[in-house]
Structures are given as structure tokens and as C-alpha cells.
mmCIF file of all heavy atoms in Angstrom:
data_model
loop_
_atom_site.group_PDB
_atom_site.id
_atom_site.type_symbol
_atom_site.label_atom_id
_atom_site.label_comp_id
_atom_site.label_asym_id
_atom_site.label_seq_id
_atom_site.Cartn_x
_atom_site.Cartn_y
_atom_site.Cartn_z
ATOM 1 N N ALA A 1 -13.577 -24.317 0.998
ATOM 2 C CA ALA A 1 -14.521 -24.713 1.948
ATOM 3 C C ALA A 1 -15.160 -23.558 2.685
ATOM 4 O O ALA A 1 -16.360 -23.604 3.169
ATOM 5 C CB ALA A 1 -14.019 -25.680 3.023
ATOM 6 N N LYS A 2 -14.389 -22.538 2.817
ATOM 7 C CA LYS A 2 -14.775 -21.221 3.423
ATOM 8 C C LYS A 2 -15.279 -20.228 2.623
ATOM 9 O O LYS A 2 -15.724 -19.191 2.914
ATOM 10 C CB LYS A 2 -13.609 -20.729 4.381
ATOM 11 C CG LYS A 2 -13.423 -21.654 5.563
ATOM 12 C CD LYS A 2 -12.299 -21.020 6.448
ATOM 13 C CE LYS A 2 -12.058 -21.835 7.717
ATOM 14 N NZ LYS A 2 -10.906 -21.336 8.549
ATOM 15 N N ASN A 3 -15.146 -20.602 1.179
ATOM 16 C CA ASN A 3 -15.542 -19.660 0.093
ATOM 17 C C ASN A 3 -14.733 -18.277 0.224
ATOM 18 O O ASN A 3 -15.387 -17.208 0.169
ATOM 19 C CB ASN A 3 -16.966 -19.299 0.160
ATOM 20 C CG ASN A 3 -17.600 -18.987 -1.092
ATOM 21 O OD1 ASN A 3 -17.161 -19.390 -2.221
ATOM 22 N ND2 ASN A 3 -18.656 -18.138 -1.098
ATOM 23 N N THR A 4 -13.574 -18.382 0.568
ATOM 24 C CA THR A 4 -12.734 -17.251 0.831
ATOM 25 C C THR A 4 -11.352 -17.246 0.097
ATOM 26 O O THR A 4 -10.741 -18.268 0.091
ATOM 27 C CB THR A 4 -12.462 -17.082 2.391
ATOM 28 O OG1 THR A 4 -13.788 -16.955 3.005
ATOM 29 C CG2 THR A 4 -11.771 -15.842 2.728
ATOM 30 N N ILE A 5 -10.898 -16.055 -0.298
ATOM 31 C CA ILE A 5 -9.629 -16.032 -0.862
ATOM 32 C C ILE A 5 -8.814 -15.003 -0.018
ATOM 33 O O ILE A 5 -9.335 -13.957 0.525
ATOM 34 C CB ILE A 5 -9.739 -15.244 -2.393
ATOM 35 C CG1 ILE A 5 -10.216 -16.341 -3.314
ATOM 36 C CG2 ILE A 5 -8.295 -15.041 -2.789
ATOM 37 C CD1 ILE A 5 -11.796 -16.354 -3.290
ATOM 38 N N TYR A 6 -7.529 -15.373 0.286
ATOM 39 C CA TYR A 6 -6.672 -14.697 1.100
ATOM 40 C C TYR A 6 -5.493 -14.089 0.434
ATOM 41 O O TYR A 6 -4.974 -14.740 -0.491
ATOM 42 C CB TYR A 6 -6.132 -15.627 2.276
ATOM 43 C CG TYR A 6 -7.269 -16.318 3.035
ATOM 44 C CD1 TYR A 6 -7.594 -17.613 2.814
ATOM 45 C CD2 TYR A 6 -7.852 -15.661 4.016
ATOM 46 C CE1 TYR A 6 -8.566 -18.277 3.551
ATOM 47 C CE2 TYR A 6 -8.786 -16.297 4.840
ATOM 48 C CZ TYR A 6 -9.171 -17.620 4.584
ATOM 49 O OH TYR A 6 -10.085 -18.246 5.362
ATOM 50 N N LEU A 7 -5.007 -13.034 1.006
ATOM 51 C CA LEU A 7 -3.745 -12.380 0.530
ATOM 52 C C LEU A 7 -2.912 -12.116 1.795
ATOM 53 O O LEU A 7 -3.214 -11.229 2.551
ATOM 54 C CB LEU A 7 -3.942 -11.113 -0.295
ATOM 55 C CG LEU A 7 -2.657 -10.545 -0.818
ATOM 56 C CD1 LEU A 7 -2.188 -11.344 -1.929
ATOM 57 C CD2 LEU A 7 -2.916 -9.118 -1.350
ATOM 58 N N GLN A 8 -1.864 -13.050 1.915
ATOM 59 C CA GLN A 8 -1.003 -12.924 3.105
ATOM 60 C C GLN A 8 0.086 -11.977 2.678
ATOM 61 O O GLN A 8 0.755 -12.231 1.550
ATOM 62 C CB GLN A 8 -0.362 -14.180 3.410
ATOM 63 C CG GLN A 8 0.686 -14.168 4.601
ATOM 64 C CD GLN A 8 -0.031 -13.827 5.798
ATOM 65 O OE1 GLN A 8 -0.964 -14.279 6.269
ATOM 66 N NE2 GLN A 8 0.711 -12.962 6.561
ATOM 67 N N MET A 9 0.288 -10.854 3.424
ATOM 68 C CA MET A 9 1.265 -9.810 3.064
ATOM 69 C C MET A 9 2.315 -9.833 4.125
ATOM 70 O O MET A 9 1.939 -9.344 5.289
ATOM 71 C CB MET A 9 0.605 -8.470 2.944
ATOM 72 C CG MET A 9 -0.603 -8.507 1.846
ATOM 73 S SD MET A 9 -1.278 -6.903 1.607
ATOM 74 C CE MET A 9 -1.916 -6.538 3.126
ATOM 75 N N ASN A 10 3.549 -10.049 3.727
ATOM 76 C CA ASN A 10 4.709 -10.023 4.676
ATOM 77 C C ASN A 10 5.684 -8.982 4.332
ATOM 78 O O ASN A 10 5.634 -8.517 3.182
ATOM 79 C CB ASN A 10 5.333 -11.469 4.826
ATOM 80 C CG ASN A 10 4.400 -12.504 5.246
ATOM 81 O OD1 ASN A 10 3.464 -12.281 6.131
ATOM 82 N ND2 ASN A 10 4.757 -13.673 4.798
ATOM 83 N N SER A 11 6.549 -8.762 5.278
ATOM 84 C CA SER A 11 7.577 -7.735 5.095
ATOM 85 C C SER A 11 7.043 -6.388 4.263
ATOM 86 O O SER A 11 7.601 -5.990 3.264
ATOM 87 C CB SER A 11 8.682 -8.398 4.136
ATOM 88 O OG SER A 11 9.238 -9.576 4.549
ATOM 89 N N LEU A 12 5.961 -5.934 4.918
ATOM 90 C CA LEU A 12 5.277 -4.757 4.300
ATOM 91 C C LEU A 12 6.256 -3.456 4.398
ATOM 92 O O LEU A 12 6.993 -3.450 5.292
ATOM 93 C CB LEU A 12 4.039 -4.506 5.068
ATOM 94 C CG LEU A 12 2.869 -5.565 4.630
ATOM 95 C CD1 LEU A 12 1.862 -5.512 5.743
ATOM 96 C CD2 LEU A 12 2.318 -5.117 3.298
ATOM 97 N N LYS A 13 6.020 -2.785 3.256
ATOM 98 C CA LYS A 13 6.709 -1.522 3.055
ATOM 99 C C LYS A 13 5.785 -0.281 2.968
ATOM 100 O O LYS A 13 4.629 -0.645 2.617
ATOM 101 C CB LYS A 13 7.576 -1.586 1.790
ATOM 102 C CG LYS A 13 8.407 -2.855 1.691
ATOM 103 C CD LYS A 13 9.089 -2.806 0.201
ATOM 104 C CE LYS A 13 9.958 -4.112 -0.037
ATOM 105 N NZ LYS A 13 10.585 -4.143 -1.318
ATOM 106 N N ALA A 14 6.223 0.791 3.123
ATOM 107 C CA ALA A 14 5.460 1.977 3.007
ATOM 108 C C ALA A 14 4.685 2.146 1.715
ATOM 109 O O ALA A 14 3.639 2.438 1.453
ATOM 110 C CB ALA A 14 6.265 3.305 3.289
ATOM 111 N N ASP A 15 5.398 1.664 0.619
ATOM 112 C CA ASP A 15 4.922 1.700 -0.767
ATOM 113 C C ASP A 15 3.829 0.651 -0.965
ATOM 114 O O ASP A 15 3.001 0.774 -1.874
ATOM 115 C CB ASP A 15 6.009 1.225 -1.790
ATOM 116 C CG ASP A 15 7.046 2.315 -2.042
ATOM 117 O OD1 ASP A 15 6.634 3.539 -1.561
ATOM 118 O OD2 ASP A 15 8.090 2.172 -2.547
ATOM 119 N N ASP A 16 3.444 -0.084 0.041
ATOM 120 C CA ASP A 16 2.212 -1.070 -0.059
ATOM 121 C C ASP A 16 1.036 -0.437 0.310
ATOM 122 O O ASP A 16 -0.025 -0.934 0.360
ATOM 123 C CB ASP A 16 2.639 -2.410 0.764
ATOM 124 C CG ASP A 16 3.700 -3.236 0.265
ATOM 125 O OD1 ASP A 16 3.860 -3.346 -1.017
ATOM 126 O OD2 ASP A 16 4.538 -3.695 1.015
ATOM 127 N N THR A 17 1.234 0.743 0.979
ATOM 128 C CA THR A 17 -0.001 1.563 1.459
ATOM 129 C C THR A 17 -0.882 1.817 0.343
ATOM 130 O O THR A 17 -0.544 2.232 -0.780
ATOM 131 C CB THR A 17 0.468 2.917 1.977
ATOM 132 O OG1 THR A 17 1.260 2.550 3.222
ATOM 133 C CG2 THR A 17 -0.775 3.640 2.510
ATOM 134 N N GLY A 18 -2.245 1.560 0.645
ATOM 135 C CA GLY A 18 -3.314 1.824 -0.341
ATOM 136 C C GLY A 18 -4.623 1.153 -0.033
ATOM 137 O O GLY A 18 -4.761 0.470 0.991
ATOM 138 N N VAL A 19 -5.572 1.399 -0.894
ATOM 139 C CA VAL A 19 -6.914 0.548 -0.704
ATOM 140 C C VAL A 19 -6.763 -0.630 -1.528
ATOM 141 O O VAL A 19 -6.387 -0.642 -2.703
ATOM 142 C CB VAL A 19 -8.047 1.457 -1.190
ATOM 143 C CG1 VAL A 19 -9.307 0.637 -1.040
ATOM 144 C CG2 VAL A 19 -8.136 2.738 -0.309
ATOM 145 N N TYR A 20 -6.970 -1.775 -0.942
ATOM 146 C CA TYR A 20 -6.847 -2.989 -1.530
ATOM 147 C C TYR A 20 -8.226 -3.629 -1.894
ATOM 148 O O TYR A 20 -9.194 -3.622 -1.034
ATOM 149 C CB TYR A 20 -6.121 -4.081 -0.696
ATOM 150 C CG TYR A 20 -4.683 -3.831 -0.654
ATOM 151 C CD1 TYR A 20 -4.130 -2.766 -0.055
ATOM 152 C CD2 TYR A 20 -3.791 -4.810 -1.231
ATOM 153 C CE1 TYR A 20 -2.650 -2.510 -0.126
ATOM 154 C CE2 TYR A 20 -2.471 -4.687 -1.324
ATOM 155 C CZ TYR A 20 -1.947 -3.458 -0.624
ATOM 156 O OH TYR A 20 -0.599 -3.198 -0.763
ATOM 157 N N TYR A 21 -8.442 -3.992 -3.188
ATOM 158 C CA TYR A 21 -9.676 -4.512 -3.701
ATOM 159 C C TYR A 21 -9.571 -5.877 -4.120
ATOM 160 O O TYR A 21 -8.518 -6.330 -4.744
ATOM 161 C CB TYR A 21 -10.149 -3.713 -4.901
ATOM 162 C CG TYR A 21 -10.342 -2.173 -4.633
ATOM 163 C CD1 TYR A 21 -9.223 -1.355 -4.752
ATOM 164 C CD2 TYR A 21 -11.618 -1.662 -4.174
ATOM 165 C CE1 TYR A 21 -9.465 0.026 -4.540
ATOM 166 C CE2 TYR A 21 -11.729 -0.395 -4.053
ATOM 167 C CZ TYR A 21 -10.805 0.509 -4.105
ATOM 168 O OH TYR A 21 -10.915 1.858 -3.970
ATOM 169 N N CYS A 22 -10.511 -6.709 -3.796
ATOM 170 C CA CYS A 22 -10.557 -8.039 -4.577
ATOM 171 C C CYS A 22 -11.615 -7.962 -5.632
ATOM 172 O O CYS A 22 -12.542 -7.197 -5.622
ATOM 173 C CB CYS A 22 -10.941 -9.118 -3.617
ATOM 174 S SG CYS A 22 -12.561 -9.279 -2.979
ATOM 175 N N ALA A 23 -11.358 -8.720 -6.710
ATOM 176 C CA ALA A 23 -12.281 -8.767 -7.978
ATOM 177 C C ALA A 23 -12.344 -10.074 -8.433
ATOM 178 O O ALA A 23 -11.442 -10.956 -8.275
ATOM 179 C CB ALA A 23 -11.619 -7.917 -8.925
ATOM 180 N N ALA A 24 -13.361 -10.309 -9.192
ATOM 181 C CA ALA A 24 -13.703 -11.689 -9.732
ATOM 182 C C ALA A 24 -14.143 -11.632 -11.153
ATOM 183 O O ALA A 24 -14.692 -10.656 -11.605
ATOM 184 C CB ALA A 24 -14.864 -12.232 -8.773
ATOM 185 N N VAL A 25 -13.879 -12.690 -11.878
ATOM 186 C CA VAL A 25 -14.249 -12.814 -13.246
ATOM 187 C C VAL A 25 -14.599 -14.351 -13.304
ATOM 188 O O VAL A 25 -13.831 -15.211 -12.715
ATOM 189 C CB VAL A 25 -13.161 -12.467 -14.166
ATOM 190 C CG1 VAL A 25 -11.904 -13.295 -14.022
ATOM 191 C CG2 VAL A 25 -13.646 -12.567 -15.612
ATOM 192 N N LEU A 26 -15.591 -14.596 -13.965
ATOM 193 C CA LEU A 26 -16.063 -16.089 -14.125
ATOM 194 C C LEU A 26 -15.093 -16.702 -15.080
ATOM 195 O O LEU A 26 -14.943 -16.200 -16.196
ATOM 196 C CB LEU A 26 -17.545 -15.992 -14.719
ATOM 197 C CG LEU A 26 -18.266 -17.296 -14.812
ATOM 198 C CD1 LEU A 26 -18.530 -18.001 -13.424
ATOM 199 C CD2 LEU A 26 -19.598 -17.222 -15.405
ATOM 200 N N GLY A 27 -14.644 -17.898 -14.728
ATOM 201 C CA GLY A 27 -13.813 -18.636 -15.551
ATOM 202 C C GLY A 27 -12.349 -18.111 -15.405
ATOM 203 O O GLY A 27 -11.918 -17.768 -14.390
ATOM 204 N N PHE A 28 -11.642 -18.455 -16.478
ATOM 205 C CA PHE A 28 -10.145 -18.078 -16.426
ATOM 206 C C PHE A 28 -9.617 -17.624 -17.666
ATOM 207 O O PHE A 28 -10.528 -17.587 -18.655
ATOM 208 C CB PHE A 28 -9.379 -19.428 -16.056
ATOM 209 C CG PHE A 28 -9.483 -20.437 -17.208
ATOM 210 C CD1 PHE A 28 -8.554 -20.651 -17.996
ATOM 211 C CD2 PHE A 28 -10.719 -21.283 -17.102
ATOM 212 C CE1 PHE A 28 -8.607 -21.667 -19.066
ATOM 213 C CE2 PHE A 28 -10.722 -22.385 -18.073
ATOM 214 C CZ PHE A 28 -9.741 -22.421 -19.030
ATOM 215 N N PHE A 29 -8.516 -17.088 -17.651
ATOM 216 C CA PHE A 29 -7.903 -16.467 -18.905
ATOM 217 C C PHE A 29 -6.805 -17.428 -19.523
ATOM 218 O O PHE A 29 -6.080 -17.961 -18.757
ATOM 219 C CB PHE A 29 -7.213 -15.120 -18.527
ATOM 220 C CG PHE A 29 -7.997 -14.081 -17.856
ATOM 221 C CD1 PHE A 29 -7.777 -13.679 -16.637
ATOM 222 C CD2 PHE A 29 -9.130 -13.589 -18.576
ATOM 223 C CE1 PHE A 29 -8.518 -12.711 -16.013
ATOM 224 C CE2 PHE A 29 -9.915 -12.629 -17.906
ATOM 225 C CZ PHE A 29 -9.593 -12.302 -16.555
ATOM 226 N N THR A 30 -6.794 -17.467 -20.732
ATOM 227 C CA THR A 30 -5.754 -18.265 -21.500
ATOM 228 C C THR A 30 -4.570 -17.363 -21.743
ATOM 229 O O THR A 30 -3.454 -17.915 -21.807
ATOM 230 C CB THR A 30 -6.333 -18.762 -22.759
ATOM 231 O OG1 THR A 30 -6.741 -17.614 -23.562
ATOM 232 C CG2 THR A 30 -7.411 -19.778 -22.683
ATOM 233 N N ASP A 31 -4.722 -16.168 -21.678
ATOM 234 C CA ASP A 31 -3.654 -15.203 -21.763
ATOM 235 C C ASP A 31 -3.274 -14.599 -20.403
ATOM 236 O O ASP A 31 -4.086 -13.993 -19.708
ATOM 237 C CB ASP A 31 -4.073 -13.900 -22.617
ATOM 238 C CG ASP A 31 -2.969 -12.918 -22.577
ATOM 239 O OD1 ASP A 31 -1.883 -13.051 -22.126
ATOM 240 O OD2 ASP A 31 -3.201 -11.803 -23.176
ATOM 241 N N GLU A 32 -2.106 -15.097 -19.877
ATOM 242 C CA GLU A 32 -1.759 -14.940 -18.445
ATOM 243 C C GLU A 32 -1.616 -13.548 -18.090
ATOM 244 O O GLU A 32 -1.763 -13.113 -16.958
ATOM 245 C CB GLU A 32 -0.557 -15.684 -18.219
ATOM 246 C CG GLU A 32 -0.661 -17.308 -18.206
ATOM 247 C CD GLU A 32 0.596 -18.032 -17.618
ATOM 248 O OE1 GLU A 32 1.658 -17.311 -17.608
ATOM 249 O OE2 GLU A 32 0.543 -19.206 -17.405
ATOM 250 N N ALA A 33 -1.269 -12.629 -19.132
ATOM 251 C CA ALA A 33 -1.075 -11.237 -18.800
ATOM 252 C C ALA A 33 -2.462 -10.643 -18.306
ATOM 253 O O ALA A 33 -2.427 -9.613 -17.672
ATOM 254 C CB ALA A 33 -0.652 -10.577 -20.149
ATOM 255 N N ARG A 34 -3.577 -11.187 -18.520
ATOM 256 C CA ARG A 34 -4.899 -10.666 -18.256
ATOM 257 C C ARG A 34 -5.235 -10.809 -16.731
ATOM 258 O O ARG A 34 -6.010 -10.138 -16.140
ATOM 259 C CB ARG A 34 -5.990 -11.240 -19.033
ATOM 260 C CG ARG A 34 -5.891 -10.977 -20.468
ATOM 261 C CD ARG A 34 -7.036 -11.599 -21.247
ATOM 262 N NE ARG A 34 -8.242 -10.976 -21.108
ATOM 263 C CZ ARG A 34 -9.466 -11.332 -21.533
ATOM 264 N NH1 ARG A 34 -9.401 -12.403 -22.379
ATOM 265 N NH2 ARG A 34 -10.577 -10.836 -21.210
ATOM 266 N N TYR A 35 -4.511 -11.704 -16.061
ATOM 267 C CA TYR A 35 -4.759 -11.887 -14.645
ATOM 268 C C TYR A 35 -4.589 -10.747 -13.774
ATOM 269 O O TYR A 35 -5.028 -10.676 -12.643
ATOM 270 C CB TYR A 35 -4.059 -13.118 -14.150
ATOM 271 C CG TYR A 35 -4.542 -14.441 -14.536
ATOM 272 C CD1 TYR A 35 -4.207 -15.265 -15.536
ATOM 273 C CD2 TYR A 35 -5.690 -14.874 -13.661
ATOM 274 C CE1 TYR A 35 -4.899 -16.418 -15.789
ATOM 275 C CE2 TYR A 35 -6.287 -16.048 -13.982
ATOM 276 C CZ TYR A 35 -5.856 -16.920 -15.030
ATOM 277 O OH TYR A 35 -6.586 -18.053 -15.401
ATOM 278 N N LEU A 36 -3.581 -9.727 -14.108
ATOM 279 C CA LEU A 36 -3.248 -8.664 -13.287
ATOM 280 C C LEU A 36 -3.888 -7.457 -13.926
ATOM 281 O O LEU A 36 -3.441 -6.342 -13.608
ATOM 282 C CB LEU A 36 -1.788 -8.592 -13.037
ATOM 283 C CG LEU A 36 -1.241 -9.746 -12.101
ATOM 284 C CD1 LEU A 36 0.164 -9.616 -11.876
ATOM 285 C CD2 LEU A 36 -1.922 -9.799 -10.826
ATOM 286 N N ARG A 37 -4.736 -7.440 -14.868
ATOM 287 C CA ARG A 37 -5.367 -6.276 -15.487
ATOM 288 C C ARG A 37 -6.682 -5.991 -14.904
ATOM 289 O O ARG A 37 -7.645 -6.695 -15.092
ATOM 290 C CB ARG A 37 -5.475 -6.461 -17.027
ATOM 291 C CG ARG A 37 -4.000 -6.471 -17.736
ATOM 292 C CD ARG A 37 -4.026 -6.365 -19.236
ATOM 293 N NE ARG A 37 -5.192 -6.793 -19.872
ATOM 294 C CZ ARG A 37 -5.279 -7.161 -21.075
ATOM 295 N NH1 ARG A 37 -4.156 -7.116 -21.886
ATOM 296 N NH2 ARG A 37 -6.330 -7.546 -21.751
ATOM 297 N N ASN A 38 -6.943 -4.830 -14.269
ATOM 298 C CA ASN A 38 -8.168 -4.635 -13.591
ATOM 299 C C ASN A 38 -9.235 -4.606 -14.612
ATOM 300 O O ASN A 38 -10.492 -4.883 -14.197
ATOM 301 C CB ASN A 38 -8.070 -3.436 -12.709
ATOM 302 C CG ASN A 38 -7.677 -2.123 -13.524
ATOM 303 O OD1 ASN A 38 -8.048 -1.997 -14.581
ATOM 304 N ND2 ASN A 38 -6.779 -1.234 -12.880
ATOM 305 N N GLN A 39 -9.100 -4.156 -15.886
ATOM 306 C CA GLN A 39 -10.135 -4.061 -16.834
ATOM 307 C C GLN A 39 -10.754 -5.340 -17.140
ATOM 308 O O GLN A 39 -11.738 -5.374 -17.799
ATOM 309 C CB GLN A 39 -9.735 -3.221 -17.997
ATOM 310 C CG GLN A 39 -8.742 -3.846 -18.811
ATOM 311 C CD GLN A 39 -7.372 -3.263 -18.504
ATOM 312 O OE1 GLN A 39 -7.039 -3.041 -17.271
ATOM 313 N NE2 GLN A 39 -6.507 -2.983 -19.499
ATOM 314 N N ASP A 40 -10.135 -6.426 -16.779
ATOM 315 C CA ASP A 40 -10.620 -7.777 -17.215
ATOM 316 C C ASP A 40 -11.408 -8.469 -16.196
ATOM 317 O O ASP A 40 -11.955 -9.582 -16.392
ATOM 318 C CB ASP A 40 -9.311 -8.673 -17.577
ATOM 319 C CG ASP A 40 -8.782 -8.305 -18.920
ATOM 320 O OD1 ASP A 40 -9.645 -7.942 -19.853
ATOM 321 O OD2 ASP A 40 -7.529 -8.324 -18.997
#
């Protein structure tokens, strides 16, 4: 309804530091391994 995706981050650690990007791909993957691959 708000056309928004959220990432709730709890118990943050120093190793979580960085630039966070959101990315989109039209449709979905049948190979679940592709969901966390930036090149896809």
C-alpha cells in the first residue's frame, strides 16, 4: 500500500557498518541462491 520495502535491523554490531543498497529485479527467481546475488 505504501510501495515500500523495509529492513528492520536489531542487535546491530560493528560488523554491520557499511553502505546499504536496495535493488530490484522484475519477477522472481526459481533458483533461491540468486536472491542474495547482487549480479542478478
Side-chain angles (χ1 to χ4, degrees):
K2 295 184 177 180
N3 205 36
T4 301
I5 290 80
Y6 302 100
L7 185 68
Q8 178 67 43
M9 306 187 296
N10 299 329
S11 303
L12 283 162
K13 308 174 182 179
D15 286 347
D16 295 319
T17 295
V19 179
Y20 282 69
Y21 302 89
C22 70
V25 61
L26 187 63
F28 63 96
F29 303 117
T30 55
D31 179 1
E32 292 186 349
R34 297 179 68 183
Y35 277 101
L36 293 180
R37 291 192 336 199
N38 57 38
Q39 61 264 41
D40 287 318

